[in-house]
Amino acid sequence: MTEALLRVPRARSVLVWLDKPRGGAESLRQLIRSGFPLTHEALDSVGPGQGVATLRATLVHLGVLPQRDESMASLRPWLERVLAHLPPLQRRILRLYAEWSLLRRARRRAARGRFTPASAAGVRNAVRCSAAFLTWLDDRNVSLADLAQTDVDMWLSESRDRRHVRLFLRWAHQRRLTGKHEVLDRPRDEPHHWWTETEDWTHLRRCLHDEALPADVRAAGALVLLYGMPITRIGALTRSDLTGDIEPRLLMGTHPTALPPLVHRLLLRQAEHGEPKSSIGRITPQTAWLFPGYAAGTHRSAADLARKLRLHNLPARIGRNTALLALAADLPASVLSETLGISITAALKWTRRAARDWNAYLAARPAPRPNTGPFTKTNSAPSLPHHEMPS
């Protein structure tokens, strides 16, 4: 690591890193003073924080530490910190629930390669909600064994988190800690924000032609507006997902999808010029990520990429709603699921919305999209209002 720091082009960046009171350098000093070997477990003992996370990413990037699934690995240390502040009985119940239900399910997902930072956030929310529910019961001197449906209904009237408390009560009932209680789902709000056809093409034209926009905003925005790709997937794209020269394709779901030439050029530009913010990341071999992150060897986080799109008036959720609605109007759910990599359940919901629930949107569209659907766009580039997309 010392050699890497000495090769950094700007010495000032190293000095700033060394002087940060809660940065990676301070975490490294703590570790050295403790006398522990440089391992992931030793870094876990230092505690949470951005400094430790950045230091870990740098050490992994340089080969000092092995790769590991941070989304999964960070859960247990976090859980121990949360449990340490709970009363003994709550701690025992939540430890059993987390170990034998939440973490067990998380490990199965991780083994299939489907455990993401959002998945880890879901586990944390489940623990927090369950702890809040148990604390609420303690405040009312109600034990799980004496829990009544009226108590559950009162909790639900004060809290919006129904899913996590339902999972916890189901687990508690299976372990005979409580009786059987019902937690009905609250009707889910349907997406109600989308762009008109004119607005949609205006934003897409900005991504394709506006040189004033940053390259990463143009590339990410085009993928959202054309294919409805989620920001989490866009941020984690690698160079190997972009294939072909004569017929460029991008792997979004289970099969590579053809790209319009302009979109292909945007992604190639991003791949060539996108560089990590980390000084060490700039002196090491080129990263595999299309959208490099702030820490060495990492990809851009979904939150950061979404924030940057919003700053340039390209909110991802509205763009994605519009794209998926247009796609679902032209494609069967099975094709939508396989091509975009979304679940068949989500694809079916979007096709139903397009066919039945979104008449107001369809009526607001002045004309159907050119070439009847975005996936025929990938084979012959669409024309845009006032501008023709070059082939």
Side-chain angles (χ1 to χ4, degrees):
M1 183 170 180
T2 303
E3 295 178 0
L5 290 173
L6 291 174
R7 295 202 311 271
V8 169
R10 296 180 59 195
R12 179 176 174 79
S13 61
V14 178
L15 293 175
V16 170
W17 180 74
L18 290 171
D19 288 339
K20 282 185 178 179
R22 296 183 182 179
E26 180 56 31
S27 301
L28 187 58
R29 293 188 194 101
Q30 292 181 34
L31 202 60
I32 293 172
R33 286 193 294 265
S34 68
F36 292 136
L38 196 56
T39 62
H40 281 295
E41 292 72 23
L43 278 176
D44 291 339
S45 68
V46 175
Q50 189 60 41
V52 174
T54 303
L55 175 62
R56 190 193 306 274
T58 300
L59 294 174
V60 169
H61 183 64
L62 294 175
V64 178
L65 292 179
Q67 289 273 0
R68 77 170 186 177
D69 185 347
E70 285 305 315
S71 297
M72 184 69 211
S74 63
L75 283 178
R76 187 173 294 279
W78 176 87
L79 177 64
E80 293 301 326
R81 291 192 297 271
V82 171
L83 294 179
H85 297 90
L86 296 178
L89 181 58
Q90 286 190 30
R91 186 186 311 145
R92 183 172 66 83
I93 293 173
L94 276 180
R95 187 184 296 279
L96 289 172
Y97 175 52
E99 289 284 353
W100 294 102
S101 181
L102 299 176
L103 294 182
R104 188 178 182 183
R105 188 162 57 244
R107 284 191 290 269
R108 286 200 298 265
R109 290 193 66 180
R112 297 195 300 268
R114 297 175 57 188
F115 197 78
T116 65
S119 305
V123 173
R124 293 188 182 96
N125 288 336
V127 172
R128 292 190 189 101
C129 176
S130 303
F133 181 64
L134 290 175
T135 301
W136 185 85
L137 292 180
D138 285 350
D139 293 341
R140 287 157 179 77
N141 295 317
V142 178
S143 67
L144 280 176
D146 298 330
L147 181 65
Q149 183 65 43
T150 53
D151 298 315
V152 176
D153 294 340
M154 185 177 296
W155 159 266
L156 296 176
S157 69
E158 300 176 6
S159 171
R160 299 183 62 183
D161 198 335
R162 293 170 173 256
R163 175 175 175 268
H164 291 314
V165 76
R166 179 174 64 246
L167 293 175
F168 172 73
L169 287 175
R170 183 185 301 167
W171 171 85
H173 174 63
Q174 291 170 350
R175 299 301 184 277
R176 299 183 180 180
L177 299 176
T178 188
K180 187 174 183 179
H181 304 289
E182 290 187 355
V183 179
L184 300 178
D185 278 330
R186 188 189 300 273
R188 297 188 65 178
D189 293 334
E190 288 285 335
H192 57 278
H193 293 297
W194 60 86
W195 281 317
T196 65
E197 183 82 5
T198 301
E199 292 171 331
D200 190 23
W201 280 116
T202 298
H203 290 300
L204 181 57
R205 185 169 63 246
R206 290 177 60 212
C207 293
L208 296 176
H209 298 289
D210 190 353
E211 295 291 340
L213 286 177
D216 54 350
V217 170
R218 296 178 65 189
L223 292 177
V224 170
L225 294 168
L226 277 174
Y227 303 106
M229 283 188 71
I231 292 294
T232 51
R233 178 74 181 98
I234 294 174
L237 285 173
T238 65
R239 296 169 187 270
S240 60
D241 292 327
L242 188 61
T243 60
D245 293 323
I246 299 176
E247 295 184 2
R249 296 178 180 273
L250 181 68
L251 182 62
M252 302 181 195
T254 55
H255 304 292
T257 300
L259 291 173
L262 262 180
V263 178
H264 181 234
R265 286 198 284 273
L266 285 177
L267 294 178
L268 283 180
R269 179 188 297 183
Q270 175 60 26
E272 292 170 1
H273 301 292
E275 62 177 19
K277 301 297 182 182
S278 165
S279 297
I280 288 181
R282 298 177 188 176
I283 63 169
T284 50
Q286 197 173 39
T287 179
W289 306 113
L290 278 181
F291 297 86
Y294 288 94
T298 64
H299 63 74
R300 187 81 62 83
S301 70
D304 182 67
L305 196 54
R307 179 190 61 81
K308 195 166 184 179
L309 286 172
R310 286 195 303 271
L311 286 176
H312 291 87
N313 196 28
L314 289 167
R317 177 165 296 183
I318 299 177
R320 187 166 188 256
N321 286 347
T322 307
L324 288 175
L325 193 64
L327 287 165
D330 297 328
L331 297 171
S334 58
V335 176
L336 200 64
S337 173
E338 290 182 3
T339 308
L340 295 185
I342 63 176
S343 68
I344 188 63
T345 302
L348 285 169
K349 286 181 180 178
W350 279 107
T351 54
R352 293 190 190 110
R353 288 170 188 142
R356 183 191 60 207
D357 301 332
W358 293 78
N359 294 328
Y361 170 80
L362 297 175
R365 295 169 67 187
R369 280 189 166 193
N371 300 325
T372 57
F375 288 101
T376 54
K377 291 178 188 177
T378 61
N379 298 318
S380 59
S383 59
L384 297 174
H386 311 297
H387 291 276
E388 183 174 353
M389 187 187 296
S391 60

